[in-house]
Amino acid sequence: MARLSANGQDRARPRDHVTSTLAKRILSGELQPGQKLPAESLLGESLAVSRTALRESIRTLAGKGLIESRTRTGTVVLPAEHWNQLDPELLAWREELEPDFDFIRGLNEARQVIEPAAAGLAAERATGQDLGRIEAAYDEMRRASPEDIDASVKADEAFHLAVLTASRNAVFMNFGSVIGSALRHAFRLTTSASENYAATLDMHGEVLEAIRMRRPAEARRLMTGLIAVASDDLSKVIARRNDER
């Protein structure tokens, strides 16, 4: 548990602030791979933190694969392939930044592999409780107005996480718990781009029905189609952003 200082503030906060500030500069591209961080004294002064807090932050970011301390060279930003992309803190920091379309595209590609398989397993293994969670999330999706992006995204996330849980596969279940914030980010983009929300909603209902009726092949096929629609919507968002530049 973090200690409190005399004025009641958490001593860990300066370190956490520095960690998130530097991480977001790297994730946003402000600090590029190969770029050297300023000298410790200058960086600590610019961020108004002690060297101890700064060093703790550097160790944390190094542990996440964002940076590396090198003898004689100093601390250098690493290429994205070294980053722990599914680290919960990295995912949370990404949610505060402008969308990284390469990352979201990669997330969708991972979902295209994992979620159809999870839907097929859910059709074989889902318990009554699992089905109840999927159905409750689908009902929330139906109640949410397409104009209420936050409510729609929350319900959509709950639906997909419930399917992953219903697979009863520990790896798939963990995938869902880890990427929750990234899913919200992706859903917010694709929901706003969807040209036929009603049709997408119907597809979710068809996935639910295939799982409920214990039809694994159909559940896999339908989930594949559902994520393909999300990928198409993401492509529309990217094209729109490029046109605005």
Side-chain angles (χ1 to χ4, degrees):
M1 182 180 296
R3 298 178 181 177
L4 297 180
S5 61
N7 62 4
Q9 292 186 330
D10 188 339
R11 286 183 184 172
R13 286 177 186 169
R15 181 200 63 201
D16 294 343
H17 171 69
V18 171
T19 303
S20 65
T21 298
L22 291 175
K24 284 185 276 190
R25 288 179 183 176
I26 294 169
L27 293 171
S28 68
E30 181 181 340
L31 292 173
Q32 290 286 315
Q35 187 172 343
K36 181 180 172 183
L37 296 188
E40 189 178 271
S41 58
L42 295 176
L43 190 57
E45 183 179 345
S46 68
L47 295 169
V49 293
S50 67
R51 289 194 175 189
T52 299
L54 180 59
R55 287 170 182 168
E56 289 175 353
S57 295
I58 295 296
R59 283 196 294 270
T60 298
L61 295 176
K64 298 178 187 298
L66 296 178
I67 57 177
E68 181 179 68
S69 295
R70 299 172 180 172
T71 305
R72 298 181 182 175
T73 306
T75 302
V76 178
V77 178
L78 292 175
E81 57 263 29
H82 292 273
W83 303 351
N84 184 358
Q85 300 282 8
L86 297 184
D87 179 271
E89 286 188 307
L90 257 66
L91 293 171
W93 291 326
R94 282 190 182 279
E95 201 171 4
E96 300 174 27
L97 300 170
E98 285 296 306
D100 181 336
F101 292 119
D102 286 338
F103 173 75
I104 295 173
R105 187 186 292 111
L107 175 64
N108 271 355
E109 289 172 353
R111 292 180 61 210
Q112 285 172 336
V113 175
I114 292 171
E115 291 198 49
L121 290 176
E124 297 173 353
R125 302 173 177 175
T127 65
Q129 271 190 330
D130 291 330
L131 292 172
R133 279 191 288 265
I134 299 171
E135 186 168 6
Y138 176 62
D139 288 343
E140 285 297 320
M141 290 185 70
R142 293 175 61 192
R143 280 192 286 270
S145 167
E147 286 75 35
D148 189 343
I149 298 296
D150 286 340
S152 299
V153 165
K154 182 179 179 181
D156 201 356
E157 177 193 0
F159 181 92
H160 287 272
L161 295 185
V163 172
L164 288 166
T165 299
S167 73
R168 295 289 126 199
N169 177 293
V171 175
F172 290 172
M173 294 164 74
N174 185 251
F175 177 76
S177 65
V178 165
I179 66 164
S181 62
L183 283 178
R184 285 192 297 276
H185 205 34
F187 289 162
R188 189 166 283 111
L189 287 170
T190 56
T191 299
S192 63
S194 181
E195 296 176 355
N196 195 340
Y197 183 79
T200 305
L201 187 60
D202 288 343
M203 293 178 74
H204 283 79
E206 290 168 1
V207 170
L208 167 60
E209 191 62 18
I211 293 173
R212 182 164 32 210
M213 298 304 293
R214 307 295 182 186
R215 297 170 179 160
E218 185 178 349
R220 286 192 292 271
R221 177 179 60 80
L222 290 167
M223 184 63 85
T224 298
L226 184 55
I227 297 173
V229 170
S231 295
D232 288 343
D233 288 339
L234 178 62
S235 296
K236 293 173 190 173
V237 173
I238 295 173
R240 190 179 303 157
R241 295 288 178 95
N242 289 338
D243 289 343
E244 291 171 355
R245 289 176 181 174

